[in-house]
Amino acid sequence: MQVDPLTLAVVSSTLESTIREMTITLRRVARSPIFVIGHDFSDCLFDWNGRLIAMGQDQPVHLGAMSFGLRQGVLRQFAGDTYPGDIMYHNDPGTGASHLPDLTVYKPIFYQDQLLFWAVSRGHVNEIGGPVPGGYNPTAEDIFAEGLRISPIKIYERGKPRRDVIELIGTNVRTKREFLGDMGGQIAAVGVAERRLQSLVERYGVDVVKASIEELLERGRRVMREELAKIPAGTYHGTGLIDNDGFACGQIEIRATVTVDEGRIHVSLEAPSQVPHPINSYEPNTMAGLLYGVLSPLSPAVPRNEGAFSLVQADLGPKGTVVNAVEPAACGNSTGITIEAVCDAVTDALNPVIPHRAFGGASTWATYSLSGIDPRNGEFYNYTTHLAGMGGGGAGTGVDGWHCGANVTMGGAAMTGDIELVEYRVPFTIWQYELREDSACPGRWRGGLGSVYEVEVHHDDAFIANTGDGSLNPPLCALGSRPYYRVDRKKHSRFLLRTNGEKLYMPTNSVFRAGKGDRIIAYQGGGGGVGLAVDRPVERVIGDVRNGMISVEAAREEYGVVLDPETLEVDQMATEQQRASLRVRLLAAR
Amino acid sequence: MGYRIGIDIGGTFTDLVLADQEGRIHLAKTPSTPKNPPIAMKAGLDELARTVGLNRTELLAQTDLILHGTTVGLNTLLQLKGAKVGLLCTKGFRDSIEIRLAYKEERLDRAYAPPPPLVPRYLRLPVEERVDKDGRIMIPLCEDDVRRHIEVFRREGVQAVAICFLWSFLNPEHERRAGRLVEELFPEAYVYLSVDVWPQIREYDRTSTTVVSAYIGPAIDAYIKQIDTFLSAQGYEGALRYVQSNGGIAAAEAVLKRPAVLLKSGPASGPTAGLFFAQHFGIQDIVTVDMGGTSFDTCLVRRGLPDVAQFTDVARYRVSVPMVNINTIGAGGGSIAWIDAGLLRVGPHSAEADPGPACYLRGGTEPTVTDANVVLGYLNPEALLGGRFPIDAEAARRAVEERVARSLGITVSHAALSIFNLVNRNMALAIQEISLERGHDPRDYSLVVGGGSGPIHAWRLAQSLGIHKVLIPKLASTFCAFGALAANLRHDYGVGYTVRIEQSDIERMNTAYEQMETMGRHELAREGAHEDQVVVQRKMELRYIQQIYEVPILVPNHRISPADIPTLIVRFHDEHERLYTYSDRSESCEVISLGVTVIGKLSPLSLAAGSPTQDGTEPALIGTRPVLFEEFEFYQPTPVYDGGRLTGGEIITGPAIIEEPTTTIVVFPGSVVTLDPVGVYIMEQAE
């Protein structure tokens, strides 16, 4: 069936606006700060065959992974048992989800008893039960220690809420009210999608809408093929690293082999066997990182749909590895760390081949959650500072990295909380949230800066769960940028300052208790750069020095710009000499 | 009472609208002169004066009120040509405007760059001081820090100082003291305090809004002085008022402390204009649209109140003062149609005024919406603007054929119809964003249409949204200037108060409401509003405990008592459910802020005023031309009317075309239009 050009444009824009409306609804209704402020949620639409047809400006970490939850989870569990008014709910990586705090709501959308669409909304909640508050248990050795596993279930059946089931889930998390508020937001979001899509079908008819969607998927394939054809054919290799500070297993290396040929791309991964720590990644999460690594250098106009994605072939290697985990592997940190290493490995392979769209890696995700009883009202609270004090984002060819931009696979921007809103909400005082000098990797385009984030706890028995990575290895640097750290040569580091003056280093994966008046200081590293630092224009280097983003010493030692420390005037001669000799050294190091 | 003049200075045109003593309306439209705006203003005043048989000086001598909307603030920000600003902030938090909550607009584009901060880091200087979340002073203000930083600012040539300390909205003592020090030690600098700009919770929003104020403030101040000087040199002795982003007007003194309130001066008048016409017909719920050459602005007005947004990013900079919530997209007569890998698209790029649509023959080769409208016969194929502006229909046809029809393998007329329908679709989606997506069903609203291109597309927009009634004023093309003329004085105040509602201190709330109201009444009195013309609205922003965003509800205008609280809670649940299809009545809520809006009603324009005069001696039907409508397979000979010759009361059934001097109204098959004698076309479904 030939679809009229206008109808095609209308169907396409309706899918986009439906997603946008789901997003607005979710943000307005949901409660978890990580969910709403952090924008740690994603909305997608799938067709009658479970093919991805549209996705929002959301978290790449979710977007590449959500098809699996539908196909491996919901469609299998409820084959022949799906009715108008049903809503499914799911978080278990064993059946296609990412990690336990990512809860997904699925709504089948019918038109006259014919299943046409699935509206799917995934979001990261603040709490998911289990031994450690906050959804991340750094001590977990298997998935059972990470919280409540929910295989695909119905929370609404033919339009009626299953209150007993919802109550059972709520009972298992520490922040029930907030949790159910988030669920309500997701239910509202998929409900909005149902209204929009049904009216689209009403207007144009089932056949025309179906034919339009086939055409949009075909268009995705076509645009993707054209984009891939711009990458020189060949086989390329890259590496991503996980340092595992605090874990006994030590550094893990993930290797990617990327083959580009005739408008197709093939990625195979190699990684060690899965480990008894929460960094194992199940297939959906690994695929999300891989896909984002492939898409990064391509035009952002590539349609995010199954048509485009079908040209990416992946081989995750044997089952039972860190990138292809099987039950009962613990996986809590995989959506922040392992996924990033997978994406880095692909980016590292492609950077030299597509230098006009090369990227540095972000300073890896590392955070802590702080929980306890709020002395003001006696209620349990949990606060994940994932919302604050992120590390710097990676640079790209032509652009410096975003400060506090966070993970590449979080879209380079997991939003942080407003200082006053945070202080109003939780019992601590924030004393500092500022950029950290010399934290970024130098380059012609430098990484974004990391931050210093300092809080004072207002009560005894506060529980700190540290999670993350990136205190040992630098972020990925591209095209001659090289890592550089002045402060302790550590990318990230966190300290507990006791009221008695004691200062404790907290390894990246560890648990601590803090008392009233204790302070937690988190130093976050910056992002990876792109290009030789000696090619950064002198005036930009001076600007960075004047703004306290790099030191006079770093300007000289890394960028080869020799400045008078008082006046910031350039010593032209010395600068030329310094740049020439640094260039020789940097090129030799490449 | 003398003349009242509305002046809207936009990027391309300066529009003036005059209401005379009898309430008749006169228009003038002159090209803008961005380098020296009074030049265009002068030309416009000359033109206006001629229409009433006076010279400029005589006109101004008989005028007692000028209402002005200006884009000077917006352009200063868009072009990043603002003042050199220094920021004083609480120690530990100098980077919030650069970190900007790590908000990245285009998250899936890895090479998307952050915007440059309006104040570079070396001019964002930390001051030792701290107020806690209950408003208590934890660390006293270090005045030496302030003095030292002032020296830096002076040395660096700073022109404006912004001050924003944490929790200052609960206890402004430190901020005020620092402000006084700057005034004392650095009197030549402008100073802006966050508690004057918008005293509400959210440190990032408050800091950013204060910084934006400081960035555009000096330019606005200079502009206001320039206009004052110009008008007094012309002997003008009446009052001059400015349109604010909230759609109301205010005296210069009232906006100079918080210049961010002028950012949307200009487009903010659209809803006022729409409402003015709608209310004549007893209509309170409308959607206004304004479709010009490059962009399309739309706003929702519910129960007579334009929708107001609190958190807006303007040119990627956060501005948190109440602004009329105008949704702007790149859809206008100049929007370019193009093929994106097989998918037809229209806009957001525009051919603008230069080179303009292909049919203008100024070198444009890309097909625009205007070209499609010419191909379809909706626009006159020979000349626009009542014959004053010749065009080439063949060039329009060629552009549509070469750039669209061929690559899609369809006929030129099919391509033109697709472009027309697609731009309508884009505009309908923009309307959906502010209606359906916010819980308002557009079918309950009437459409009021402005902009030169708006009346061509209006009926199709209405049809696709299920809107039954469309109002098209004859002066659609000077919509905002007229809106300024019809506006009232308005001031918004807000104060942060964060507490669970059942624990709230009712006396404290009553006091806050009374203080804001007194402040507002005082300001209005200074601007010349009489006590009996003042309307007050009280608001409260509420949210579920731990929710992140709040929902505003109206609060009764009397002292509230504990007995009112349950009613307010119910009102909150209702509003939440309406907006988001979801509420949880087993739960309570928390207060985030209290707000007061005061409105000072100016003496109303009488709507006899709406219509330019016409004598009706010549027949209005001036011929037919072939026009293509989707309903028919082929071009149909379609009657064309000269709107200037209609006297009012005629009923014209579609298909038909009505040509007005500055716009064209397309009456589609199935619709019928009548001209109300006040100068408004009313378009409805034919019986």
Side-chain angles (χ1 to χ4, degrees):
Chain A
M1 177 189 226
Q2 181 70 28
V3 182
D4 174 76
L6 176 69
T7 307
L8 190 64
V10 168
V11 172
S12 166
S13 65
T14 301
L15 298 179
E16 284 161 24
S17 76
T18 301
I19 294 271
R20 197 175 56 232
E21 192 175 350
M22 289 172 77
T23 299
I24 291 170
T25 305
L26 198 47
R27 275 183 57 190
R28 293 282 161 182
V29 180
R31 310 270 177 100
S32 291
I34 184 170
F35 201 110
V36 180
I37 303 177
H39 195 123
D40 197 344
F41 64 82
S42 301
D43 296 312
C44 285
L45 298 173
F46 293 86
D47 74 0
W48 54 95
N49 279 330
R51 293 176 301 181
L52 176 72
I53 53 175
M55 61 201 255
Q57 279 287 342
D58 296 321
Q59 292 276 11
V61 56
H62 295 153
L63 293 171
M66 280 158 80
S67 316
F68 292 90
L70 184 63
R71 286 185 213 159
Q72 297 181 359
V74 171
L75 293 182
R76 278 190 201 164
Q77 181 76 44
F78 296 107
D81 183 21
T82 303
Y83 301 98
D86 286 352
I87 297 179
M88 288 75 163
Y89 198 59
H90 176 211
N91 80 345
D92 181 28
T95 42
S98 292
H99 69 162
L100 299 182
D102 279 348
L103 270 302
T104 311
V105 166
Y106 306 81
K107 188 177 182 66
I109 298 174
F110 288 80
Y111 185 77
Q112 292 171 348
D113 293 334
Q114 190 177 353
L115 175 66
L116 287 183
F117 300 103
W118 288 87
V120 180
S121 175
R122 172 171 291 179
H124 186 129
V125 295
N126 207 353
E127 226 302 299
I128 189 61
V132 171
Y136 293 103
N137 176 5
T139 64
E141 296 188 359
D142 64 26
I143 192 168
F144 299 101
E146 298 192 296
L148 180 65
R149 291 176 71 183
I150 306 169
S151 58
I153 54 167
K154 289 187 187 177
I155 49 172
Y156 272 65
E157 192 153 32
R158 301 183 196 232
K160 283 216 174 81
R162 295 182 63 192
R163 297 197 192 281
D164 51 345
V165 172
I166 294 172
E167 193 59 28
L168 170 74
I169 299 168
T171 304
N172 273 280
V173 298
R174 293 175 177 83
T175 52
K176 181 176 175 182
R177 176 169 55 205
E178 186 182 79
F179 184 92
L180 295 181
D182 289 343
M183 184 194 281
Q186 291 180 293
I187 291 169
V190 293
V192 156
E194 180 176 47
R195 275 189 296 193
R196 288 299 157 264
L197 295 176
Q198 283 177 340
S199 71
L200 177 77
V201 180
E202 192 142 333
R203 169 80 173 76
Y204 292 95
V206 173
D207 293 344
V208 170
V209 169
K210 280 188 155 183
S212 303
I213 282 168
E214 294 295 350
E215 177 60 34
L216 290 172
L217 292 172
E218 179 50 42
R219 177 174 174 271
R221 241 183 315 274
R222 193 168 67 240
V223 175
M224 182 72 168
R225 193 175 294 123
E226 284 163 13
E227 276 295 310
L228 288 174
K230 294 177 188 165
I231 307 177
T235 296
Y236 313 104
H237 302 277
T239 308
L241 295 173
I242 302 174
D243 32 273
N244 280 330
D245 180 25
F247 291 150
C249 62
Q251 176 173 300
I252 285 176
E253 191 174 308
I254 294 172
R255 276 185 294 218
T257 303
V258 181
T259 303
V260 183
D261 186 29
E262 293 186 355
R264 281 185 176 271
I265 189 162
H266 183 277
V267 182
S268 62
L269 297 179
E270 279 173 73
S273 297
Q274 61 191 49
V275 293
H277 302 293
I279 56 154
N280 306 294
S281 175
Y282 290 78
E283 181 188 5
N285 182 62
T286 301
M287 279 303 295
L290 185 153
L291 207 47
Y292 199 60
V294 169
L295 290 173
S296 296
L298 308 181
S299 159
V302 170
R304 263 59 179 168
N305 70 28
E306 196 88 21
F309 295 174
S310 67
L311 299 181
V312 183
Q313 294 167 336
D315 171 8
L316 305 189
K319 288 273 180 195
T321 68
V322 166
V323 297
N324 198 5
V326 291
E327 287 186 77
C331 63
N333 293 0
S334 67
T335 55
I337 296 165
T338 320
I339 192 174
E340 194 79 357
V342 168
C343 183
D344 276 353
V346 176
T347 302
D348 186 35
L350 291 174
N351 272 340
V353 195
I354 319 173
H356 63 283
R357 268 184 86 86
F359 295 97
S363 131
T364 315
W365 171 80
T367 185
Y368 62 92
S369 65
L370 190 60
S371 57
I373 305 297
D374 188 331
R376 296 173 299 176
N377 53 25
E379 290 178 17
F380 177 85
Y381 77 93
N382 174 68
Y383 197 77
T384 303
T385 51
H386 172 152
L387 298 173
M390 296 299 277
T397 307
V399 301
D400 290 341
W402 286 68
H403 305 311
C404 306
N407 282 23
V408 171
T409 49
M410 291 179 184
M415 287 174 63
T416 56
D418 184 273
I419 302 297
E420 288 169 352
L421 284 183
V422 173
E423 286 197 339
Y424 168 65
R425 178 141 181 178
V426 289
F428 50 74
T429 299
I430 302 168
W431 286 107
Q432 189 181 12
Y433 180 25
E434 282 183 329
L435 300 177
R436 185 179 173 210
E437 183 179 70
D438 284 342
S439 54
C441 300
R444 178 168 179 186
W445 296 283
R446 62 155 168 67
L449 271 64
S451 59
V452 186
Y453 198 83
E454 178 176 349
V455 305
E456 178 184 329
V457 180
H458 285 183
H459 59 94
D460 286 331
D461 278 327
F463 184 80
I464 307 167
N466 291 294
T467 38
D469 202 67
S471 56
L472 306 173
N473 284 299
L476 175 68
C477 291
L479 308 183
S481 160
R482 64 167 192 175
Y484 168 76
Y485 303 109
R486 288 189 71 234
V487 187
D488 301 334
R489 294 194 60 77
K490 281 190 163 67
K491 241 181 84 180
H492 297 310
S493 52
R494 267 172 303 232
F495 298 91
L496 181 59
L497 267 63
R498 302 274 194 205
T499 44
N500 64 12
E502 197 184 351
K503 183 178 183 181
L504 295 172
Y505 172 75
M506 298 191 290
T508 314
N509 294 285
S510 60
V511 295
F512 280 81
R513 279 190 190 275
K516 186 171 182 193
D518 288 352
R519 294 187 181 206
I520 303 164
I521 305 186
Y523 296 99
Q524 305 274 353
V530 172
L532 298 179
V534 291
D535 286 336
R536 188 171 178 82
V538 171
E539 59 277 18
R540 300 206 68 174
V541 176
I542 299 171
D544 282 350
V545 172
R546 163 174 263 229
N547 281 319
M549 296 190 177
I550 64 176
S551 59
V552 169
E553 182 195 340
R556 186 181 61 239
E557 299 303 321
E558 296 293 328
Y559 291 93
V561 176
V562 183
L563 301 173
D564 180 307
E566 293 300 314
T567 64
L568 301 190
E569 265 182 48
V570 189
D571 182 333
Q572 297 287 357
M573 284 273 281
T575 296
E576 271 172 43
Q577 283 172 5
Q578 176 74 352
R579 287 200 143 191
S581 75
L582 269 179
R583 181 181 306 276
V584 172
R585 266 192 285 156
L586 288 171
L587 289 175
R590 273 177 91 176
Chain B
M1 191 192 129
Y3 295 130
R4 199 192 285 189
I5 299 176
I7 304 177
D8 182 66
I9 301 191
T12 321
F13 282 106
T14 294
D15 295 341
L16 294 88
V17 178
L18 173 146
D20 71 15
Q21 291 88 337
E22 282 78 46
R24 280 188 301 260
I25 292 287
H26 303 267
L27 313 179
K29 208 171 177 72
T30 60
S32 287
T33 48
K35 286 196 182 114
N36 192 359
I39 293 177
M41 209 182 252
K42 204 173 185 173
L45 287 169
D46 283 337
E47 198 180 322
L48 271 187
R50 271 196 302 278
T51 64
V52 290
L54 300 172
N55 66 35
R56 188 169 70 236
T57 319
E58 291 163 347
L59 174 73
L60 286 173
Q62 294 176 35
T63 301
D64 48 27
L65 183 57
I66 292 179
L67 303 139
H68 182 26
T70 170
T71 48
V72 63
L74 183 62
N75 287 340
T76 303
L77 186 58
L78 288 175
Q79 297 164 11
L80 293 180
K81 286 185 176 160
K84 188 161 188 181
V85 178
L87 171 69
L88 295 178
C89 54
T90 302
K91 186 179 167 195
F93 303 93
R94 71 192 287 205
D95 293 321
S96 33
I97 63 162
E98 189 153 2
I99 296 172
R100 63 200 295 277
L101 307 178
Y103 172 51
K104 183 176 175 186
E105 295 90 332
E106 301 289 333
R107 306 174 103 212
L108 297 179
D109 181 359
R110 207 164 154 183
Y112 186 70
L118 294 178
V119 186
R121 195 166 195 256
Y122 75 96
L123 293 176
R124 304 194 299 257
L125 300 178
V127 175
E128 176 108 25
E129 71 84 37
R130 189 70 188 257
V131 170
D132 75 7
K133 60 185 150 198
D134 297 313
R136 289 179 302 237
I137 290 173
M138 298 169 85
I139 300 174
L141 177 73
C142 175
E143 298 198 0
D144 282 351
D145 277 357
V146 180
R147 289 172 209 275
R148 233 183 28 252
H149 297 336
I150 289 172
E151 275 321 299
V152 175
F153 290 159
R154 185 198 299 283
R155 197 172 62 231
E156 296 290 342
V158 159
Q159 298 157 283
V161 177
I163 309 179
C164 182
F165 294 149
L166 275 179
W167 298 104
S168 62
F169 68 97
L170 291 182
N171 181 347
E173 193 182 317
H174 287 173
E175 219 172 87
R176 294 236 178 266
R177 176 64 192 144
R180 280 194 300 273
L181 282 171
V182 176
E183 278 165 9
E184 210 174 284
L185 301 171
F186 191 15
E188 58 274 39
Y190 291 83
V191 191
Y192 302 91
L193 308 186
S194 83
V195 289
D196 290 332
V197 171
W198 194 244
Q200 299 244 351
I201 192 167
R202 285 184 166 95
E203 170 259 0
Y204 164 65
D205 290 69
R206 217 168 55 248
T207 307
S208 177
T209 309
T210 311
V211 162
V212 168
S213 290
Y215 190 72
I216 64 173
I220 285 179
D221 187 45
Y223 179 80
I224 286 175
K225 287 193 176 116
Q226 189 184 14
I227 300 295
D228 278 347
T229 309
F230 164 71
L231 287 174
S232 25
Q234 307 290 317
Y236 180 62
E237 288 174 354
L240 174 61
R241 301 283 179 261
Y242 288 88
V243 179
Q244 307 170 84
S245 308
N246 64 14
I249 53 171
E253 307 81 68
V255 297
L256 283 174
K257 271 192 174 304
R258 41 202 293 213
V261 300
L262 282 191
L263 267 178
K264 290 212 175 163
S265 171
S269 288
T272 318
L275 194 58
F276 179 83
F277 292 112
Q279 282 176 335
H280 178 74
F281 301 99
I283 298 169
Q284 297 286 331
D285 294 330
I286 57 170
V287 171
T288 61
V289 297
D290 187 340
M291 184 188 186
T294 57
S295 65
F296 171 81
D297 292 337
T298 180
C299 181
L300 183 117
V301 180
R302 185 165 162 256
R303 295 186 197 146
L305 298 174
D307 185 30
V308 169
Q310 177 68 61
F311 310 107
T312 312
D313 281 349
V314 181
R316 302 180 70 194
Y317 298 99
R318 177 63 51 85
V319 181
S320 292
V321 295
M323 293 199 203
V324 171
N325 188 10
I326 292 171
N327 193 16
T328 301
I329 62 164
S335 293
I336 292 169
W338 53 292
I339 306 297
D340 175 11
L343 198 59
L344 175 65
R345 295 196 192 271
V346 179
H349 300 296
S350 165
E352 307 195 345
D354 191 23
C359 64
Y360 285 11
L361 290 182
R362 287 186 188 157
T365 52
E366 315 232 47
T368 63
V369 169
T370 292
D371 292 311
N373 287 337
V374 169
V375 170
L376 295 170
Y378 299 159
L379 281 172
N380 189 306
E382 276 142 29
L384 304 176
L385 295 178
R388 285 182 289 158
F389 188 89
I391 59 165
D392 181 354
E394 192 39 48
R397 206 182 160 73
R398 204 161 47 235
V400 173
E401 162 139 46
E402 285 169 5
R403 302 294 175 103
V404 175
R406 259 185 225 158
S407 30
L408 293 178
I410 54 179
T411 64
V412 178
S413 51
H414 188 181
L417 205 50
S418 298
I419 293 168
F420 175 75
N421 282 329
L422 188 53
V423 76
N424 291 347
R425 169 74 189 167
N426 294 345
M427 293 189 287
L429 283 176
I431 295 174
Q432 273 188 19
E433 273 177 51
I434 57 160
S435 54
L436 274 176
E437 292 182 17
R438 317 267 161 177
H440 309 284
D441 189 334
R443 288 174 298 187
D444 302 334
Y445 290 74
S446 298
L447 196 67
V448 187
V449 183
S453 300
I456 303 172
H457 298 260
W459 182 250
R460 290 299 194 214
L461 272 183
Q463 274 185 311
S464 70
L465 295 161
I467 291 176
H468 303 294
K469 191 186 279 274
V470 179
L471 304 181
I472 305 172
K474 273 173 169 270
L475 42 72
S477 77
T478 52
F479 208 54
C480 286
F482 182 81
L485 200 62
N488 288 312
L489 295 159
R490 171 173 172 155
H491 300 286
D492 295 312
Y493 303 94
V495 54
Y497 178 40
T498 39
V499 65
R500 294 200 181 181
I501 192 160
E502 18 346 89
Q503 293 160 9
S504 57
D505 175 347
I506 300 217
E507 268 326 291
R508 176 175 169 171
M509 297 205 282
N510 280 322
T511 309
Y513 280 128
E514 280 152 22
Q515 278 174 353
M516 288 187 279
E517 186 171 330
T518 308
M519 197 151 55
R521 286 181 181 276
H522 186 71
E523 195 75 60
L524 291 178
R526 277 204 305 185
E527 291 165 332
H530 293 291
E531 191 62 19
D532 57 353
Q533 298 164 327
V534 173
V535 176
V536 177
Q537 288 160 355
R538 294 182 174 185
K539 278 186 323 187
M540 187 180 281
E541 302 211 292
L542 294 170
R543 64 184 190 191
Y544 286 115
I545 315 254
Q546 296 172 340
Q547 199 172 7
I548 308 292
Y549 288 98
E550 44 271 12
V551 169
I553 59 162
L554 290 176
V555 173
N557 269 349
H558 53 73
R559 289 181 64 81
I560 45 177
S561 72
D564 291 318
I565 299 296
T567 320
L568 295 177
I569 296 176
V570 169
R571 210 174 270 184
F572 166 74
H573 289 307
D574 290 347
E575 185 67 4
H576 197 278
E577 171 129 5
R578 195 183 62 75
L579 288 172
Y580 307 121
T581 71
Y582 163 86
S583 67
D584 186 347
R585 285 169 202 269
S586 64
E587 267 207 58
S588 183
C589 51
E590 59 191 356
V591 181
I592 292 300
S593 68
L594 313 174
V596 167
T597 295
V598 295
I599 293 169
K601 302 225 169 196
L602 295 178
S603 59
L605 289 175
S606 71
L607 224 210
S611 160
T613 50
Q614 66 286 115
D615 54 23
T617 50
E618 290 174 273
L621 182 63
I622 51 174
T624 62
R625 70 168 173 251
V627 180
L628 184 64
F629 296 102
E630 201 171 23
E631 287 84 348
F632 309 119
E633 207 175 330
F634 302 106
Y635 282 78
Q636 303 285 316
T638 303
V640 179
Y641 295 85
D642 178 348
R645 296 178 183 176
L646 294 169
T647 54
E650 292 95 336
I651 297 173
I652 296 171
T653 305
I657 304 284
I658 303 171
E659 294 184 345
E660 282 281 335
T662 55
T663 188
T664 300
I665 297 143
V666 180
V667 190
F668 284 87
S671 69
V672 60
V673 76
T674 52
L675 174 62
D676 186 277
V678 297
V680 178
Y681 292 96
I682 301 166
M683 196 179 271
E684 288 168 302
Q685 187 73 38
E687 291 292 307

